[in-house]
Amino acid sequence: MKKQDYILIGVLLFVGIALLAGYRIFYHTPGDQVEITIDGETYKTLPLDKDTTIEIPAEDGGSNTLTIQDGYADMTQANCPDKLCIKQKKISHAGETLVCLPHKVVVKVLSADPDKDDAPDSVAY
């Protein structure tokens, strides 16, 4: 590799880090509540500032357990076959989601400012 290759790699890393930092500063807003939907229909909306645990029934007879604690929402139990929803990280910022595909359950964090809920997934120039 030549000197110019290292310079190019350095510039690309710098630009990537700058874009990530910009996203975190301008679009990564804390959420106020979570909206739980089952097969596209709103099931319940809960505040993030109140600690609670709720069992979410699925259409196929299964269930998921959502725990809201310390301003974070986390799927703590599920009886779906893959249990990928349990392995997802806790969510607390507007636009973040937890998804259980087998049970068709989606938990989305919303903010008090509706314009912030639809933050872009990526930035392109």
Side-chain angles (χ1 to χ4, degrees), residues 12-46:
L12 291 175
L13 282 174
F14 176 76
V15 169
I17 291 171
L19 287 173
L20 180 63
Y23 170 75
R24 292 283 222 179
I25 291 169
F26 295 111
Y27 292 109
H28 208 71
T29 58
D32 297 75
Q33 56 189 356
V34 292
E35 178 184 56
I36 303 166
T37 58
I38 302 171
D39 199 17
E41 299 291 323
T42 300
Y43 173 69
K44 222 172 237 197
T45 302
L46 301 168

Side-chain angles (χ1 to χ4, degrees), residues 70-123:
D70 301 327
Y72 290 90
D74 189 24
M75 198 74 73
T76 53
Q77 291 183 338
N79 61 359
C80 53
D82 56 11
K83 301 201 185 327
L84 291 176
C85 53
I86 297 173
K87 297 174 186 172
Q88 296 176 34
K89 69 179 186 81
K90 296 178 182 179
I91 58 174
S92 66
H93 291 89
E96 293 181 326
T97 58
L98 293 171
V99 179
C100 181
L101 286 177
H103 291 160
K104 300 177 185 174
V105 173
V106 177
V107 179
K108 182 177 181 180
V109 178
L110 306 174
S111 72
D113 182 5
D115 294 332
K116 297 288 184 177
D117 288 337
D118 294 323
D121 292 334
S122 63
V123 178

